[in-house]
Amino acid sequence: MRIGVLTSGGDAPGMNAAIRAAVRQADALGHEAWGIRQGFQGVLEKDWAPMPTRACANILQRGGTVLHTARCPEFLEIHRRADAAANLREAGIQALVIIGGDGSFRGAEALQREQGILCAGIPGTIDNDLPGTDRTLGFDTALNTAVEAIDRIRDTASAHGRLFLVEVMGRSSGMLAVHTALACGAEAVLYPESPDDSYQALVARLHANWLRGKRSSIVVVAEGDDLGNAMVVGARLRRDYGLDLRVVVLGHIQRGGSPSALDRIWGSRWGAEAVRRLAAGEGGFYLGEVAGALAVQPLARILDPRPAPPGDMGELVDILSR
Ligand SMILES: Nc1ncnc2c1ncn2[C@@H]1O[C@H](COP(=O)(O)OP(=O)(O)OP(=O)(O)O)[C@@H](O)[C@H]1O
Ligand SMILES: O=P(O)(O)OC[C@H]1O[C@](O)(CO)[C@@H](O)[C@@H]1O
């Protein structure tokens, strides 16, 4: 069987571990893995080649994705997905391992349902916002990167007695923001799913801490928060209270870098499991981790609501910052 492997959406540390495992597991079972460059764009452009096991040497510890990735708006159109399926059939690629986030899984779900291409999804996004899995590749690494960066910011915030607003990624999800805030002892966190994310509540919280004697504070802001990103919130606080605050946008620093051990381990387990199932004729599923165990979900589950960060974590940030 010829199995295509691709990475799609934003890159995430751990994707290379999944690619390596898929390629080598395919070889171990006597199948042929093909690497598809630039996600769904590569399927439309037939940008692929056989991927021998040696092509995966020394990639386990590397961030990014050796197959490159892309966002491909054309794939939202049914006739382009039909073109993609025709290209795959012509090349003899019967099944796909798709490593990406919820958008990529929606593409996979449509490709399997409409076009009958066997698809397996592996969660790869630093956002950790997929239903049916406690983990996505890249989240653990990005979280640790953000925490390390904020620990450094804390030193200078404390030295100057300053307020810092630190923006972390998460266009529609506060998962990274809330976990980062709790792990670095932030004074407040703003994130899209928060029940009490008002500007007034933030000001009241910072003021209460000032009265308790706190002279420096760190507010973690998810880029997609309803109040606006860190620049917007910072400008408002400056305008209203004349604060000498600083804004730091961590940006793509969070997406790069060598994957953590957990991201390497889950990338390896999921890559191999995806191929074992495809080789047995199974498609239309994605893999995950639920309560520490490897889980299998139907691809249609990606249409479920996106999970929100546990509510008690946001509350805890507040309680522990006093
Ligand atoms: N509803 C959909 N139907 C078909 N294809 C889709 C759909 N949504 C997204 N895709 C395809 O998946 C690609 C990746 O999606 P998207 O840009 O949302 O990233 P993602 O996989 O969610 O990853 P990340 O979480 O890193 O942003 C899109 O560029 C598009 O090609
Ligand atoms: O690199 P791009 O395409 O600007 O994507 C940024 C987006 O990708 C993500 O990092 C997910 O991979 C989001 O958190 C962020 O909003």
Side-chain angles (χ1 to χ4, degrees):
M1 185 185 218
R2 191 166 285 173
I3 301 172
V5 183
L6 63 84
T7 47
S8 166
D11 61 292
M15 282 181 161
N16 284 326
I19 295 168
R20 169 179 176 269
V23 168
R24 292 185 172 174
Q25 178 68 82
D27 186 74
L29 293 173
H31 299 290
E32 195 179 286
W34 279 37
I36 303 173
R37 283 174 290 268
Q38 297 188 70
F40 294 128
Q41 195 66 44
V43 181
L44 292 173
E45 293 172 3
K46 305 183 189 174
D47 188 2
W48 47 44
M51 197 162 179
T53 57
R54 289 291 86 213
C56 300
N58 272 323
I59 67 170
L60 180 63
Q61 70 278 22
R62 283 171 55 192
T65 157
V66 293
L67 289 175
H68 301 273
T69 185
R71 303 195 194 269
C72 172
E74 281 174 81
F75 214 70
L76 296 174
E77 294 167 36
I78 187 167
H79 73 278
R80 293 303 275 150
R81 293 195 292 272
D83 293 342
N87 289 349
L88 290 166
R89 289 203 173 91
E90 187 189 284
I93 300 174
Q94 294 149 276
L96 286 180
V97 176
I98 293 165
I99 308 164
D102 67 313
S104 305
F105 283 13
R106 282 166 197 262
E109 191 277 327
L111 196 60
Q112 165 103 34
R113 177 172 39 79
E114 296 159 3
Q115 317 293 339
I117 302 289
L118 288 181
C119 290
I122 294 183
T125 166
I126 66 163
D127 290 349
N128 199 15
D129 60 347
L130 305 190
T133 180
D134 298 341
R135 172 189 304 283
T136 59
L137 297 179
F139 176 73
D140 185 57
T141 306
L143 173 61
N144 282 291
T145 302
V147 169
E148 192 187 323
I150 294 177
D151 284 350
R152 289 165 194 260
I153 293 169
R154 176 71 78 184
D155 290 345
T156 171
S158 163
H160 285 264
R162 263 184 190 145
L163 166 63
F164 271 79
L165 302 186
V166 185
E167 182 177 304
V168 300
M169 277 187 164
R171 203 173 13 210
S172 334
S173 167
M175 209 63 103
L176 189 56
V178 170
H179 283 78
T180 301
L182 193 57
C184 68
E187 276 63 36
V189 55
L190 303 178
Y191 61 106
E193 306 90 340
S194 167
D196 67 339
D197 214 4
S198 76
Y199 180 67
Q200 289 71 23
L202 171 67
V203 170
R205 207 166 292 162
L206 293 175
H207 185 61
N209 277 339
W210 176 269
L211 295 179
R212 286 188 193 106
K214 252 196 189 189
R215 290 297 171 262
S216 66
S217 291
I218 289 182
V219 179
V220 174
V221 184
E223 66 172 315
D225 187 61
D226 315 334
L227 287 181
N229 62 26
M231 292 286 185
V232 171
V233 178
R236 192 167 167 191
L237 285 168
R238 253 192 218 113
R239 190 194 61 211
D240 293 349
Y241 300 98
L243 297 176
D244 181 30
L245 57 83
R246 295 290 184 273
V247 175
V248 178
V249 178
L250 294 183
H252 290 77
I253 286 173
Q254 297 156 98
R255 280 229 306 252
S258 185
S260 68
L262 279 173
D263 282 330
R264 297 181 197 194
I265 289 165
W266 280 99
S268 303
R269 291 185 70 184
W270 286 336
E273 181 70 15
V275 164
R276 282 196 290 266
R277 286 175 182 266
L278 290 172
E282 190 184 336
F285 65 90
Y286 65 94
L287 300 174
E289 181 207 335
V290 174
L294 193 148
V296 187
Q297 310 290 0
L299 265 175
R301 175 116 197 244
I302 202 59
L303 305 173
D304 285 1
R306 173 193 302 282
D312 64 306
M313 284 182 68
E315 237 175 84
L316 207 49
V317 168
D318 187 20
I319 295 167
L320 300 186
S321 74
R322 56 190 55 226

